[in-house]
Amino acid sequence: MTPSKSSKDTKINSIEDLTYEQAFTELEAIVAALESERKSLAESMTLFERSQMLVQYCARLLDQAELKVQQLSGESLTDLNLPA
Amino acid sequence: MTQLPLFQPPTWSVTDLTRYLRQKIEEDDVLQDLWVMGEVSNFSRPSSGHLYFTLKDASASLRCVMWRPNALRQSYLPCDGDAVEVHGSLSVYETGGVYQLYADTIRPTGEGLLYQEFLRLKARLEAEGLFDSFRKRSISRWPRVIGIVTSPTGAALRDMLNTLRRRFPLVTVILAPTAVQGAEAPAGIIAALQALNQTIQPDTILLARGGGSIEDLWAFNDEGVARAIASSQAPVISGVGHETDFTIADFVADLRAPTPTAAAELATPNQDDLRLASSDLAERINRTILAYLTETRWQVTNLGNRLQLFSPRSRLRSDLQRLDELSRRVVLAQVNMLRFQRLQLQNPEQRLAVLNPVSVLNRGYAMVLQPDGTLVHSVTQVNAGDPLDVRVSDGKFSARVTQRTNPED
Protein backbone atom coordinates (compact mmCIF):
# COMPACT_ATOMS: atom_id res chain seq x y z
CA MET A 1 0.00 0.00 0.00
CA THR A 2 1.05 3.57 -0.55
CA PRO A 3 1.82 5.55 2.60
CA SER A 4 -1.43 7.47 2.17
CA LYS A 5 -2.91 5.97 5.33
CA SER A 6 -0.19 7.29 7.58
CA SER A 7 -1.74 10.65 8.35
CA LYS A 8 -5.01 12.39 7.84
CA ASP A 9 -3.47 15.32 5.97
CA THR A 10 -2.02 13.23 3.18
CA LYS A 11 -5.33 11.44 2.94
CA ILE A 12 -7.11 14.69 2.38
CA ASN A 13 -4.61 15.77 -0.23
CA SER A 14 -4.57 12.63 -2.33
CA ILE A 15 -8.11 11.77 -3.27
CA GLU A 16 -6.85 9.47 -6.03
CA ASP A 17 -5.55 6.98 -3.47
CA LEU A 18 -8.98 6.36 -1.98
CA THR A 19 -10.93 3.21 -2.65
CA TYR A 20 -14.56 3.65 -3.62
CA GLU A 21 -15.54 2.58 -0.13
CA GLN A 22 -13.26 5.16 1.51
CA ALA A 23 -14.46 7.94 -0.77
CA PHE A 24 -18.10 7.09 -0.21
CA THR A 25 -17.64 6.75 3.54
CA GLU A 26 -15.95 10.15 3.66
CA LEU A 27 -18.82 11.61 1.67
CA GLU A 28 -21.28 10.22 4.19
CA ALA A 29 -19.21 11.68 7.02
CA ILE A 30 -19.23 15.12 5.37
CA VAL A 31 -23.01 15.03 5.04
CA ALA A 32 -23.34 14.02 8.66
CA ALA A 33 -20.94 16.78 9.77
CA LEU A 34 -22.63 19.49 7.71
CA GLU A 35 -26.10 18.47 8.76
CA SER A 36 -25.40 18.10 12.45
CA GLU A 37 -22.79 20.66 13.47
CA ARG A 38 -22.44 24.38 13.09
CA LYS A 39 -19.31 24.94 11.05
CA SER A 40 -17.59 28.16 10.22
CA LEU A 41 -18.25 29.46 6.73
CA ALA A 42 -14.69 28.71 5.64
CA GLU A 43 -14.84 25.20 7.04
CA SER A 44 -18.20 24.56 5.39
CA MET A 45 -16.91 25.73 2.05
CA THR A 46 -13.84 23.49 2.36
CA LEU A 47 -16.05 20.50 3.13
CA PHE A 48 -18.33 21.44 0.26
CA GLU A 49 -15.47 21.57 -2.23
CA ARG A 50 -14.13 18.29 -0.87
CA SER A 51 -17.55 16.67 -1.27
CA GLN A 52 -17.79 17.83 -4.90
CA MET A 53 -14.43 16.22 -5.62
CA LEU A 54 -15.47 13.01 -3.87
CA VAL A 55 -18.75 12.77 -5.80
CA GLN A 56 -16.92 13.23 -9.10
CA TYR A 57 -14.22 10.79 -8.05
CA CYS A 58 -16.78 8.10 -7.12
CA ALA A 59 -18.55 8.47 -10.47
CA ARG A 60 -15.23 8.39 -12.30
CA LEU A 61 -14.15 5.21 -10.48
CA LEU A 62 -17.31 3.44 -11.61
CA ASP A 63 -17.14 4.86 -15.15
CA GLN A 64 -13.57 3.75 -15.67
CA ALA A 65 -13.73 0.44 -13.82
CA GLU A 66 -13.16 -2.73 -15.79
CA LEU A 67 -13.72 -6.07 -14.13
CA LYS A 68 -10.38 -7.75 -13.55
CA VAL A 69 -10.47 -11.54 -13.71
CA GLN A 70 -7.54 -13.75 -12.77
CA GLN A 71 -7.13 -17.46 -12.45
CA LEU A 72 -5.42 -19.12 -9.53
CA SER A 73 -3.27 -22.10 -10.58
CA GLY A 74 -1.32 -23.49 -7.69
CA GLU A 75 -0.01 -20.30 -6.11
CA SER A 76 0.31 -18.22 -9.25
CA LEU A 77 -2.19 -15.85 -10.79
CA THR A 78 -2.73 -15.46 -14.52
CA ASP A 79 -5.03 -13.01 -16.23
CA LEU A 80 -8.10 -14.66 -17.58
CA ASN A 81 -9.76 -13.33 -20.70
CA LEU A 82 -13.14 -14.81 -21.23
CA PRO A 83 -15.58 -13.80 -23.91
CA ALA A 84 -18.35 -11.87 -22.24
CA MET B 1 -80.48 -85.85 0.87
CA THR B 2 -78.31 -83.82 2.92
CA GLN B 3 -80.04 -81.78 5.50
CA LEU B 4 -79.68 -78.05 4.98
CA PRO B 5 -78.37 -76.26 8.05
CA LEU B 6 -81.08 -74.41 9.90
CA PHE B 7 -79.23 -71.12 9.78
CA GLN B 8 -77.17 -70.54 6.70
CA PRO B 9 -74.07 -68.33 7.04
CA PRO B 10 -74.95 -64.92 5.57
CA THR B 11 -74.38 -64.60 1.87
CA TRP B 12 -72.45 -61.56 0.70
CA SER B 13 -73.07 -59.70 -2.42
CA VAL B 14 -69.91 -59.05 -4.45
CA THR B 15 -70.39 -55.36 -4.01
CA ASP B 16 -70.71 -55.58 -0.25
CA LEU B 17 -67.62 -57.75 0.02
CA THR B 18 -65.59 -55.50 -2.21
CA ARG B 19 -66.71 -52.45 -0.26
CA TYR B 20 -65.88 -54.24 3.00
CA LEU B 21 -62.38 -55.01 1.77
CA ARG B 22 -61.92 -51.47 0.61
CA GLN B 23 -62.90 -50.16 4.02
CA LYS B 24 -60.50 -52.53 5.76
CA ILE B 25 -57.66 -51.41 3.55
CA GLU B 26 -58.43 -47.73 3.82
CA GLU B 27 -58.64 -47.90 7.62
CA ASP B 28 -55.08 -49.21 7.82
CA ASP B 29 -52.63 -46.34 8.37
CA VAL B 30 -49.65 -48.29 7.06
CA LEU B 31 -51.40 -48.96 3.75
CA GLN B 32 -52.31 -45.30 3.32
CA ASP B 33 -48.71 -44.00 3.38
CA LEU B 34 -46.45 -46.41 1.54
CA TRP B 35 -43.16 -46.45 -0.31
CA VAL B 36 -43.05 -49.50 -2.59
CA MET B 37 -40.11 -50.43 -4.78
CA GLY B 38 -40.12 -52.60 -7.85
CA GLU B 39 -39.67 -52.70 -11.58
CA VAL B 40 -42.05 -50.92 -13.92
CA SER B 41 -43.98 -52.91 -16.51
CA ASN B 42 -47.02 -52.34 -18.70
CA PHE B 43 -46.51 -48.58 -18.42
CA SER B 44 -49.22 -46.67 -20.27
CA ARG B 45 -50.24 -43.06 -20.52
CA PRO B 46 -53.55 -42.63 -22.32
CA SER B 47 -54.90 -39.30 -23.48
CA SER B 48 -56.68 -38.81 -20.15
CA GLY B 49 -53.25 -38.01 -18.68
CA HIS B 50 -53.46 -40.65 -15.95
CA LEU B 51 -50.57 -43.11 -15.66
CA TYR B 52 -51.14 -46.86 -15.41
CA PHE B 53 -48.39 -49.39 -14.71
CA THR B 54 -47.56 -52.52 -12.79
CA LEU B 55 -44.81 -52.80 -10.21
CA LYS B 56 -43.12 -56.20 -10.19
CA ASP B 57 -40.39 -57.96 -8.42
CA ALA B 58 -39.25 -61.59 -8.69
CA SER B 59 -42.40 -63.12 -7.25
CA ALA B 60 -45.27 -60.62 -7.15
CA SER B 61 -46.91 -57.71 -8.89
CA LEU B 62 -48.92 -54.66 -7.88
CA ARG B 63 -51.14 -52.54 -10.07
CA CYS B 64 -50.56 -48.81 -9.83
CA VAL B 65 -52.40 -45.67 -10.96
CA MET B 66 -51.25 -42.09 -10.93
CA TRP B 67 -53.94 -39.50 -11.58
CA ARG B 68 -53.33 -36.68 -13.99
CA PRO B 69 -52.63 -33.86 -11.46
CA ASN B 70 -49.86 -35.88 -9.82
CA ALA B 71 -48.59 -37.07 -13.18
CA LEU B 72 -48.22 -33.46 -14.36
CA ARG B 73 -46.04 -32.73 -11.34
CA GLN B 74 -43.60 -35.53 -12.16
CA SER B 75 -40.34 -34.38 -13.75
CA TYR B 76 -39.43 -38.04 -14.11
CA LEU B 77 -41.60 -40.45 -16.06
CA PRO B 78 -40.64 -44.14 -15.80
CA CYS B 79 -40.21 -46.59 -18.65
CA ASP B 80 -40.83 -50.32 -18.57
CA GLY B 81 -37.92 -52.01 -16.83
CA ASP B 82 -37.01 -49.03 -14.60
CA ALA B 83 -36.34 -49.73 -10.98
CA VAL B 84 -38.47 -47.23 -9.12
CA GLU B 85 -39.86 -46.34 -5.75
CA VAL B 86 -43.49 -45.33 -5.66
CA HIS B 87 -45.25 -43.49 -2.90
CA GLY B 88 -49.01 -43.59 -2.47
CA SER B 89 -51.96 -45.24 -0.76
CA LEU B 90 -53.54 -48.62 -1.30
CA SER B 91 -57.19 -49.03 -2.18
CA VAL B 92 -59.61 -51.19 -4.11
CA TYR B 93 -60.89 -50.57 -7.59
CA GLU B 94 -64.34 -51.98 -7.07
CA THR B 95 -65.43 -52.37 -10.70
CA GLY B 96 -62.34 -54.34 -11.59
CA GLY B 97 -62.22 -56.16 -8.31
CA VAL B 98 -58.56 -55.38 -7.85
CA TYR B 99 -56.57 -53.66 -5.16
CA GLN B 100 -54.07 -51.14 -6.46
CA LEU B 101 -51.62 -48.45 -5.42
CA TYR B 102 -52.77 -44.88 -6.01
CA ALA B 103 -49.40 -43.25 -6.58
CA ASP B 104 -48.49 -39.61 -5.90
CA THR B 105 -44.69 -39.81 -6.42
CA ILE B 106 -42.47 -41.96 -8.57
CA ARG B 107 -38.68 -41.72 -8.38
CA PRO B 108 -35.77 -43.81 -9.63
CA THR B 109 -34.51 -46.18 -6.97
CA GLY B 110 -30.98 -44.79 -6.76
CA GLU B 111 -32.30 -41.34 -6.07
CA GLY B 112 -34.07 -42.57 -2.99
CA LEU B 113 -30.86 -43.98 -1.62
CA LEU B 114 -29.03 -40.75 -2.34
CA TYR B 115 -31.79 -38.83 -0.64
CA GLN B 116 -31.57 -41.04 2.45
CA GLU B 117 -27.85 -40.42 2.52
CA PHE B 118 -28.44 -36.71 2.12
CA LEU B 119 -30.88 -36.62 5.03
CA ARG B 120 -28.54 -38.59 7.29
CA LEU B 121 -25.57 -36.31 6.57
CA LYS B 122 -27.70 -33.21 6.93
CA ALA B 123 -29.00 -34.38 10.31
CA ARG B 124 -25.51 -35.24 11.52
CA LEU B 125 -23.95 -31.92 10.47
CA GLU B 126 -26.90 -30.01 11.84
CA ALA B 127 -26.52 -31.79 15.20
CA GLU B 128 -22.84 -30.87 15.10
CA GLY B 129 -23.84 -27.22 14.78
CA LEU B 130 -22.41 -26.61 11.32
CA PHE B 131 -25.59 -24.86 10.18
CA ASP B 132 -25.98 -22.67 13.26
CA SER B 133 -26.83 -19.11 12.42
CA PHE B 134 -24.25 -17.66 14.82
CA ARG B 135 -21.56 -19.33 12.70
CA LYS B 136 -22.59 -17.38 9.63
CA ARG B 137 -20.11 -14.65 8.78
CA SER B 138 -21.44 -11.42 7.37
CA ILE B 139 -20.80 -10.68 3.73
CA SER B 140 -18.54 -7.71 2.98
CA ARG B 141 -20.52 -4.75 1.71
CA TRP B 142 -17.59 -3.44 -0.33
CA PRO B 143 -15.62 -6.45 -1.59
CA ARG B 144 -12.33 -5.72 -3.30
CA VAL B 145 -11.47 -9.32 -4.15
CA ILE B 146 -14.01 -12.04 -4.81
CA GLY B 147 -12.92 -15.67 -5.15
CA ILE B 148 -14.97 -17.97 -7.35
CA VAL B 149 -14.95 -21.74 -7.05
CA THR B 150 -16.59 -23.28 -10.10
CA SER B 151 -15.92 -24.93 -13.41
CA PRO B 152 -13.89 -22.71 -15.80
CA THR B 153 -16.05 -23.85 -18.70
CA GLY B 154 -19.54 -23.71 -17.23
CA ALA B 155 -22.30 -21.24 -17.93
CA ALA B 156 -22.31 -20.45 -14.21
CA LEU B 157 -18.92 -18.70 -14.44
CA ARG B 158 -20.02 -16.62 -17.41
CA ASP B 159 -23.25 -15.65 -15.65
CA MET B 160 -21.40 -14.62 -12.49
CA LEU B 161 -18.75 -12.59 -14.33
CA ASN B 162 -21.43 -10.78 -16.35
CA THR B 163 -23.32 -9.99 -13.19
CA LEU B 164 -20.21 -8.75 -11.37
CA ARG B 165 -19.18 -6.64 -14.37
CA ARG B 166 -22.61 -5.07 -14.54
CA ARG B 167 -23.00 -4.43 -10.82
CA PHE B 168 -19.58 -3.68 -9.39
CA PRO B 169 -16.73 -3.68 -11.92
CA LEU B 170 -14.36 -2.28 -9.27
CA VAL B 171 -13.93 -5.76 -7.86
CA THR B 172 -11.12 -8.16 -8.77
CA VAL B 173 -12.20 -11.73 -9.42
CA ILE B 174 -9.95 -14.68 -8.71
CA LEU B 175 -11.15 -17.93 -10.23
CA ALA B 176 -10.08 -21.16 -8.53
CA PRO B 177 -11.16 -23.59 -11.23
CA THR B 178 -12.39 -27.07 -10.38
CA ALA B 179 -14.61 -29.81 -11.67
CA VAL B 180 -18.05 -29.46 -10.07
CA GLN B 181 -19.45 -32.86 -10.95
CA GLY B 182 -18.09 -36.38 -11.04
CA ALA B 183 -15.98 -38.39 -8.65
CA GLU B 184 -13.13 -35.87 -8.41
CA ALA B 185 -15.36 -32.89 -7.87
CA PRO B 186 -15.48 -32.92 -4.04
CA ALA B 187 -11.69 -33.08 -3.70
CA GLY B 188 -11.33 -30.37 -6.36
CA ILE B 189 -13.80 -28.07 -4.62
CA ILE B 190 -12.08 -28.56 -1.25
CA ALA B 191 -8.66 -27.80 -2.77
CA ALA B 192 -9.98 -24.68 -4.52
CA LEU B 193 -11.53 -23.33 -1.32
CA GLN B 194 -8.31 -23.93 0.60
CA ALA B 195 -6.12 -22.40 -2.12
CA LEU B 196 -8.22 -19.22 -2.19
CA ASN B 197 -8.12 -18.85 1.58
CA GLN B 198 -4.39 -19.49 1.82
CA THR B 199 -3.11 -17.59 -1.22
CA ILE B 200 -5.57 -14.80 -1.88
CA GLN B 201 -7.67 -14.26 1.22
CA PRO B 202 -10.56 -12.84 -0.76
CA ASP B 203 -13.32 -10.78 0.89
CA THR B 204 -15.96 -13.23 -0.30
CA ILE B 205 -16.00 -16.63 -2.01
CA LEU B 206 -18.70 -17.70 -4.45
CA LEU B 207 -19.19 -21.46 -4.65
CA ALA B 208 -21.38 -22.12 -7.62
CA ARG B 209 -22.66 -24.51 -10.23
CA GLY B 210 -25.41 -24.27 -12.79
CA GLY B 211 -28.52 -26.41 -12.79
CA GLY B 212 -28.47 -30.16 -13.37
CA SER B 213 -29.88 -33.43 -12.16
CA ILE B 214 -29.58 -34.29 -8.52
CA GLU B 215 -26.68 -36.62 -9.34
CA ASP B 216 -24.94 -33.74 -11.14
CA LEU B 217 -25.18 -31.60 -8.00
CA TRP B 218 -24.05 -34.39 -5.71
CA ALA B 219 -20.58 -33.03 -5.05
CA PHE B 220 -22.24 -30.22 -3.12
CA ASN B 221 -23.68 -32.77 -0.70
CA ASP B 222 -20.24 -34.10 0.16
CA GLU B 223 -19.25 -34.00 3.82
CA GLY B 224 -15.67 -32.91 3.05
CA VAL B 225 -16.98 -29.99 0.96
CA ALA B 226 -19.31 -29.04 3.80
CA ARG B 227 -16.41 -28.96 6.27
CA ALA B 228 -14.21 -26.99 3.86
CA ILE B 229 -16.95 -24.35 3.60
CA ALA B 230 -17.34 -24.26 7.38
CA SER B 231 -13.62 -23.73 7.92
CA SER B 232 -13.16 -21.13 5.17
CA GLN B 233 -11.83 -17.83 6.49
CA ALA B 234 -13.66 -15.84 3.85
CA PRO B 235 -17.44 -15.97 4.00
CA VAL B 236 -18.89 -18.31 1.37
CA ILE B 237 -21.98 -17.65 -0.73
CA SER B 238 -23.38 -20.78 -2.35
CA GLY B 239 -25.28 -20.69 -5.60
CA VAL B 240 -25.90 -24.25 -6.70
CA GLY B 241 -28.39 -25.40 -9.31
CA HIS B 242 -31.82 -23.85 -9.50
CA GLU B 243 -34.00 -22.13 -6.96
CA THR B 244 -35.60 -25.43 -5.83
CA ASP B 245 -32.31 -27.27 -5.27
CA PHE B 246 -31.03 -27.38 -1.71
CA THR B 247 -27.66 -28.96 -1.08
CA ILE B 248 -25.65 -29.47 2.11
CA ALA B 249 -23.31 -26.76 0.81
CA ASP B 250 -26.27 -24.35 0.88
CA PHE B 251 -26.92 -25.13 4.53
CA VAL B 252 -23.29 -24.66 5.60
CA ALA B 253 -22.63 -21.58 3.47
CA ASP B 254 -22.75 -18.19 5.14
CA LEU B 255 -25.34 -17.15 2.62
CA ARG B 256 -27.37 -19.28 0.23
CA ALA B 257 -28.25 -17.91 -3.18
CA PRO B 258 -30.76 -19.71 -5.39
CA THR B 259 -28.55 -19.50 -8.50
CA PRO B 260 -24.97 -18.54 -9.48
CA THR B 261 -26.22 -15.19 -10.81
CA ALA B 262 -27.99 -14.50 -7.53
CA ALA B 263 -24.80 -15.37 -5.64
CA ALA B 264 -22.91 -12.71 -7.61
CA GLU B 265 -25.69 -10.24 -6.85
CA LEU B 266 -25.60 -10.96 -3.13
CA ALA B 267 -21.82 -10.50 -3.11
CA THR B 268 -21.75 -6.98 -4.53
CA PRO B 269 -23.38 -3.59 -4.29
CA ASN B 270 -25.15 -2.45 -7.44
CA GLN B 271 -23.39 0.47 -9.11
CA ASP B 272 -26.76 1.97 -10.06
CA ASP B 273 -27.62 2.13 -6.36
CA LEU B 274 -24.16 3.52 -5.58
CA ARG B 275 -24.51 6.30 -8.14
CA LEU B 276 -27.94 7.09 -6.79
CA ALA B 277 -26.66 7.09 -3.23
CA SER B 278 -23.76 9.44 -3.94
CA SER B 279 -25.88 11.84 -5.96
CA ASP B 280 -28.34 11.79 -3.09
CA LEU B 281 -25.52 12.67 -0.69
CA ALA B 282 -24.34 15.40 -3.05
CA GLU B 283 -27.84 16.84 -3.15
CA ARG B 284 -28.07 16.82 0.63
CA ILE B 285 -24.75 18.65 0.85
CA ASN B 286 -25.91 21.21 -1.71
CA ARG B 287 -29.11 21.77 0.20
CA THR B 288 -27.30 22.18 3.51
CA ILE B 289 -24.73 24.56 2.07
CA LEU B 290 -27.39 26.60 0.29
CA ALA B 291 -29.41 26.91 3.49
CA TYR B 292 -26.25 27.87 5.32
CA LEU B 293 -25.33 30.55 2.79
CA THR B 294 -28.85 31.96 2.74
CA GLU B 295 -28.87 32.16 6.49
CA THR B 296 -25.41 33.67 6.62
CA ARG B 297 -26.39 36.30 4.05
CA TRP B 298 -29.46 37.15 6.09
CA GLN B 299 -27.34 37.44 9.19
CA VAL B 300 -24.92 39.76 7.44
CA THR B 301 -27.83 41.95 6.33
CA ASN B 302 -29.21 41.92 9.80
CA LEU B 303 -25.85 42.76 11.36
CA GLY B 304 -25.43 45.56 8.81
CA ASN B 305 -28.72 47.04 9.91
CA ARG B 306 -27.69 46.84 13.51
CA LEU B 307 -24.29 48.32 12.76
CA GLN B 308 -25.99 51.35 11.22
CA LEU B 309 -27.06 52.27 14.73
CA PHE B 310 -23.44 52.50 15.80
CA SER B 311 -22.03 54.23 12.72
CA PRO B 312 -20.37 57.70 13.34
CA ARG B 313 -22.79 59.24 10.91
CA SER B 314 -25.80 58.26 12.91
CA ARG B 315 -24.03 59.24 16.13
CA LEU B 316 -23.28 62.61 14.66
CA ARG B 317 -26.87 62.91 13.65
CA SER B 318 -28.05 62.17 17.14
CA ASP B 319 -25.43 64.50 18.65
CA LEU B 320 -26.64 67.32 16.46
CA GLN B 321 -30.13 66.62 17.58
CA ARG B 322 -28.98 66.69 21.15
CA LEU B 323 -27.19 69.95 20.51
CA ASP B 324 -30.35 71.44 19.07
CA GLU B 325 -32.22 70.42 22.09
CA LEU B 326 -29.62 71.71 24.48
CA SER B 327 -29.43 75.07 22.76
CA ARG B 328 -33.18 75.32 22.79
CA ARG B 329 -33.10 74.68 26.50
CA VAL B 330 -30.32 77.26 27.00
CA VAL B 331 -32.36 79.88 25.21
CA LEU B 332 -35.38 79.02 27.25
CA ALA B 333 -33.36 79.24 30.44
CA GLN B 334 -32.03 82.65 29.49
CA VAL B 335 -35.49 83.92 28.73
CA ASN B 336 -36.72 82.65 32.04
CA MET B 337 -33.76 84.18 33.80
CA LEU B 338 -34.37 87.54 32.19
CA ARG B 339 -38.02 87.35 33.03
CA PHE B 340 -37.16 86.57 36.64
CA GLN B 341 -34.54 89.31 36.84
CA ARG B 342 -37.00 91.75 35.43
CA LEU B 343 -39.41 90.86 38.19
CA GLN B 344 -36.61 91.29 40.69
CA LEU B 345 -35.86 94.70 39.26
CA GLN B 346 -39.44 96.01 39.32
CA ASN B 347 -39.97 95.32 43.02
CA PRO B 348 -37.10 97.41 44.42
CA GLU B 349 -38.31 100.42 42.40
CA GLN B 350 -41.66 100.10 44.02
CA ARG B 351 -40.02 99.54 47.36
CA LEU B 352 -37.73 102.58 46.81
CA ALA B 353 -40.72 104.67 45.84
CA VAL B 354 -42.39 103.73 49.12
CA LEU B 355 -39.30 104.67 51.08
CA ASN B 356 -38.78 107.98 49.35
CA PRO B 357 -39.81 110.65 52.00
CA VAL B 358 -40.88 112.94 49.26
CA SER B 359 -43.49 110.49 48.01
CA VAL B 360 -44.73 110.14 51.61
CA LEU B 361 -45.02 113.91 51.86
CA ASN B 362 -46.94 113.80 48.60
CA ARG B 363 -49.55 111.68 50.25
CA GLY B 364 -50.09 114.48 52.96
CA TYR B 365 -47.63 113.48 55.60
CA ALA B 366 -45.16 116.04 57.11
CA MET B 367 -41.68 115.80 58.56
CA VAL B 368 -41.00 117.59 61.90
CA LEU B 369 -37.47 118.80 62.39
CA GLN B 370 -35.71 120.59 65.24
CA PRO B 371 -33.96 123.85 64.35
CA ASP B 372 -30.69 121.92 64.00
CA GLY B 373 -32.37 119.66 61.44
CA THR B 374 -32.82 116.63 63.67
CA LEU B 375 -35.87 114.59 62.77
CA VAL B 376 -38.40 114.48 65.55
CA HIS B 377 -39.86 111.07 66.06
CA SER B 378 -40.50 111.07 69.83
CA VAL B 379 -42.32 113.42 72.23
CA THR B 380 -39.35 113.26 74.53
CA GLN B 381 -37.28 115.27 72.06
CA VAL B 382 -39.35 118.42 72.55
CA ASN B 383 -40.62 120.69 75.35
CA ALA B 384 -43.42 123.21 75.34
CA GLY B 385 -42.35 126.38 73.61
CA ASP B 386 -39.60 124.77 71.48
CA PRO B 387 -39.41 126.10 67.88
CA LEU B 388 -39.76 123.41 65.16
CA ASP B 389 -39.50 123.27 61.39
CA VAL B 390 -42.25 121.42 59.56
CA ARG B 391 -41.55 120.14 56.15
CA VAL B 392 -44.36 119.36 53.66
CA SER B 393 -44.25 118.33 50.02
CA ASP B 394 -43.79 121.71 48.45
CA GLY B 395 -41.71 123.51 51.21
CA LYS B 396 -41.39 124.14 54.98
CA PHE B 397 -42.74 126.44 57.59
CA SER B 398 -41.92 127.27 61.27
CA ALA B 399 -44.05 126.17 64.24
CA ARG B 400 -43.89 126.10 68.06
CA VAL B 401 -44.69 123.39 70.58
CA THR B 402 -47.69 124.60 72.66
CA GLN B 403 -48.12 121.62 74.81
CA ARG B 404 -46.25 118.41 75.40
CA THR B 405 -47.82 115.23 76.66
CA ASN B 406 -46.04 112.25 78.06
CA PRO B 407 -45.22 109.45 75.65
CA GLU B 408 -48.07 107.05 74.93
CA ASP B 409 -47.60 103.47 75.99
Side-chain angles (χ1 to χ4, degrees):
Chain A
M1 287 297 280
T2 46
S4 63
K5 278 186 173 176
S6 57
S7 81
K8 213 179 173 184
D9 294 26
T10 50
K11 186 182 153 201
I12 283 197
N13 290 334
S14 51
I15 205 164
E16 303 293 325
D17 289 343
L18 298 179
T19 64
Y20 190 94
E21 177 185 6
Q22 287 168 328
F24 188 81
T25 308
E26 193 182 333
L27 201 55
E28 285 179 317
I30 288 177
V31 174
L34 284 177
E35 286 183 346
S36 67
E37 301 161 34
R38 198 76 185 139
K39 301 270 182 200
S40 72
L41 186 60
E43 211 176 341
S44 293
M45 292 322 287
T46 308
L47 285 175
F48 176 69
E49 279 161 23
R50 176 76 177 168
S51 75
Q52 298 294 298
M53 285 164 66
L54 287 168
V55 168
Q56 284 165 16
Y57 176 67
C58 282
R60 187 149 36 88
L61 275 185
L62 288 176
D63 289 342
Q64 295 175 351
E66 223 173 295
L67 190 74
K68 194 176 168 196
V69 185
Q70 295 181 305
Q71 180 166 332
L72 182 64
S73 330
E75 291 199 350
S76 65
L77 283 171
T78 48
D79 282 345
L80 195 63
N81 293 310
L82 293 168
Chain B
M1 279 218 23
T2 50
Q3 176 91 41
L4 284 169
L6 192 59
F7 299 103
Q8 291 189 354
T11 307
W12 291 73
S13 72
V14 175
T15 300
D16 287 345
L17 178 60
T18 308
R19 211 160 271 169
Y20 179 79
L21 279 174
R22 182 181 169 174
Q23 268 176 18
K24 280 287 171 196
I25 289 173
E26 289 185 353
E27 279 166 16
D28 190 314
D29 288 343
V30 171
L31 298 179
Q32 295 311 301
D33 182 12
L34 282 175
W35 277 105
V36 185
M37 66 173 184
E39 193 185 300
V40 176
S41 66
N42 298 325
F43 181 82
S44 78
R45 190 185 192 191
S47 58
S48 62
H50 311 315
L51 307 183
Y52 302 94
F53 58 98
T54 305
L55 268 189
K56 291 196 306 186
D57 61 15
S59 53
S61 63
L62 171 68
R63 289 184 55 170
C64 302
V65 184
M66 182 181 262
W67 302 125
R68 194 178 125 93
N70 286 323
L72 288 177
R73 238 178 281 136
Q74 281 287 128
S75 58
Y76 161 80
L77 287 179
C79 302
D80 284 349
D82 280 4
V84 296
E85 292 166 335
V86 181
H87 182 266
S89 58
L90 208 66
S91 188
V92 171
Y93 172 49
E94 293 174 19
T95 319
V98 290
Y99 70 93
Q100 49 186 18
L101 184 65
Y102 292 84
D104 52 48
T105 308
I106 308 168
R107 69 186 184 203
T109 297
E111 198 172 294
L113 290 175
L114 281 176
Y115 189 64
Q116 293 300 319
E117 199 184 305
F118 168 83
L119 288 181
R120 270 199 303 276
L121 179 60
K122 179 170 173 263
R124 189 151 53 81
L125 296 180
E126 189 164 19
E128 223 180 279
L130 245 62
F131 307 160
D132 288 350
S133 55
F134 71 83
R135 286 183 54 99
K136 310 282 186 197
R137 288 148 297 198
S138 58
I139 308 300
S140 167
R141 188 184 165 203
W142 306 95
R144 266 168 291 181
V145 179
I146 289 180
I148 293 184
V149 175
T150 195
S151 159
T153 56
L157 176 61
R158 196 192 56 221
D159 291 347
M160 286 188 285
L161 291 181
N162 285 340
T163 304
L164 294 174
R165 191 173 288 124
R166 174 171 50 81
R167 287 175 64 89
F168 196 58
L170 289 165
V171 82
T172 296
V173 176
I174 310 289
L175 170 69
T178 172
V180 287
Q181 77 183 75
E184 296 86 43
I189 293 170
I190 294 167
L193 284 170
Q194 286 172 347
L196 277 178
N197 273 304
Q198 280 161 17
T199 318
I200 307 295
Q201 286 143 11
D203 299 302
T204 309
I205 293 178
L206 306 182
L207 172 59
R209 191 205 184 285
S213 72
I214 191 156
E215 286 91 348
D216 290 342
L217 304 182
W218 209 250
F220 295 88
N221 288 320
D222 181 85
E223 181 173 353
V225 169
R227 295 196 183 282
I229 294 170
S231 61
S232 168
Q233 266 128 49
V236 176
I237 303 178
S238 68
V240 178
H242 295 303
E243 185 139 14
T244 48
D245 298 320
F246 268 90
T247 64
I248 299 282
D250 289 321
F251 292 110
V252 192
D254 298 284
L255 190 60
R256 184 249 174 189
T259 61
T261 300
E265 284 170 354
L266 290 174
T268 46
N270 187 351
Q271 64 165 320
D272 296 343
D273 296 341
L274 294 180
R275 287 176 197 272
L276 221 61
S278 73
S279 69
D280 179 53
L281 289 179
E283 199 186 306
R284 274 166 69 185
I285 291 173
N286 285 346
R287 237 187 349 248
T288 311
I289 288 289
L290 195 65
Y292 184 77
L293 287 180
T294 309
E295 195 191 326
T296 307
R297 191 168 301 147
W298 182 84
Q299 278 180 341
V300 167
T301 312
N302 187 29
L303 281 177
N305 290 343
R306 283 165 62 190
L307 272 176
Q308 286 276 307
L309 299 177
F310 297 102
S311 89
R313 186 174 303 163
S314 69
R315 276 193 72 169
L316 197 61
R317 212 176 287 149
S318 78
D319 281 357
L320 282 173
Q321 191 179 347
R322 213 172 123 78
L323 197 61
D324 278 350
E325 192 185 316
L326 282 177
S327 59
R328 210 174 59 238
R329 280 166 62 187
V330 166
V331 170
L332 201 65
Q334 282 172 342
V335 170
N336 282 339
M337 179 83 89
L338 285 174
R339 202 176 286 156
F340 177 72
Q341 285 172 347
R342 196 169 297 149
L343 276 176
Q344 293 264 316
L345 283 174
Q346 276 172 354
N347 277 342
E349 275 170 20
Q350 285 171 354
R351 267 190 269 164
L352 280 176
V354 170
L355 285 177
N356 184 352
V358 177
S359 68
V360 178
L361 298 182
N362 281 344
R363 283 186 282 149
Y365 295 91
M367 277 194 302
V368 179
L369 306 160
Q370 288 177 327
D372 58 357
T374 310
L375 197 60
V376 177
H377 46 83
S378 166
V379 289
T380 57
Q381 284 176 272
V382 297
N383 293 304
D386 285 352
L388 293 169
D389 287 334
V390 178
R391 190 176 177 116
V392 293
S393 65
D394 55 350
K396 60 181 182 180
F397 57 89
S398 298
R400 195 169 293 275
V401 181
T402 56
Q403 193 183 345
R404 202 208 81 171
T405 55
N406 286 327
E408 295 169 356
D409 294 325

